[in-house]
Amino acid sequence: MVTIYERKLGLSRRDLLKRGGATALLVVSGSAVISTEHAWGLEATALKPKTMATLIQMARDIYPHDQVPDKHYAIAVKRHDEAAAKDPAHKELIENGIADLDLRAGDGGYTGVSWEEERIKVLQQIESTPFFQAVRGGLVVGLYNQKEVWPLFGYEGESYSKGGYIERGFDDIEWL
């Protein structure tokens, strides 16, 4: 028996239970992508919400950091939604790129591929395309420029406003 929630998500009960234990479930609803595990949401304005969910998974596969929550990847790919709202060519690049990615991934699309190694193989097929380069390039700035992410990597931020590195432990060599 399929409940109304399973029909809305397009998942069988078995698929929902399989996904629930290992990874966070991103729900596409209306114009939003919602994380059921970590209570955050992202509204898509120009791109399809399914496209945004795929971009989040793609971002996590390109720059995998287990300690970085999905919301930071969502913030990073939101730039593509904003750019797509201003530039129809960017919107076409992203939507067509995701459609091609889903086609290469087979049944269930890219987000339906449960093994990271298999998703990486799909990404390797498109790594020289302008679509992949646009997403990868946007992630470098979009992900690593978030101040909330810096402590997760042990980076304290710029030091000029705090007196520079000389006065802030530059010569602190406790490891010797």
Side-chain angles (χ1 to χ4, degrees):
M1 179 174 167
V2 177
T3 67
I4 191 165
Y5 298 108
E6 291 166 344
R7 264 189 269 131
K8 284 183 180 179
L9 295 176
L11 297 172
S12 69
R13 185 183 324 158
R14 177 171 288 177
D15 288 337
L16 184 61
L17 292 173
K18 280 196 305 191
R19 289 183 181 201
T23 61
L25 182 64
L26 294 180
V27 177
V28 176
S29 174
S31 65
V33 178
I34 302 165
S35 170
T36 58
E37 184 179 355
H38 299 289
W40 61 265
L42 171 73
E43 185 174 3
T45 56
L47 298 173
K48 298 174 190 167
K50 185 175 180 334
T51 298
M52 293 300 292
T54 304
L55 281 172
I56 293 167
Q57 181 62 60
M58 185 179 170
R60 182 164 281 290
D61 290 337
I62 293 172
Y63 294 109
H65 300 289
D66 292 338
Q67 75 273 28
V68 177
D70 281 344
K71 75 175 185 175
H72 295 294
Y73 288 99
I75 291 168
V77 299
K78 178 68 175 161
R79 293 171 171 234
H80 290 291
D81 186 52
E82 294 164 354
K86 296 175 186 172
D87 182 10
H90 189 77
K91 180 178 181 175
E92 184 178 347
L93 175 74
I94 299 299
E95 291 288 0
N96 290 344
I98 293 295
D100 179 51
L101 189 65
D102 284 341
L103 185 65
R104 290 172 188 263
D107 290 342
Y110 185 76
T111 57
V113 178
S114 57
W115 292 100
E116 181 180 358
E117 294 83 15
E118 295 301 317
R119 290 192 308 268
I120 298 302
K121 288 177 186 176
V122 175
L123 288 177
Q124 288 172 338
Q125 295 174 16
I126 65 161
E127 65 187 348
S128 63
T129 66
F131 161 69
F132 181 87
Q133 294 302 320
V135 173
R136 186 194 57 77
L139 284 171
V140 170
V141 175
L143 182 61
Y144 299 114
N145 249 8
Q146 296 178 48
K147 289 184 180 182
E148 297 83 19
V149 174
W150 295 350
L152 300 174
F153 297 116
Y155 178 60
E156 297 175 4
E158 56 82 26
S159 70
Y160 177 77
S161 66
K162 299 171 184 105
Y165 289 113
I166 300 294
E167 302 297 325
R168 292 189 59 241
F170 177 74
D171 58 351
D172 187 8
I173 54 172
E174 296 175 3
W175 52 271
L176 272 178

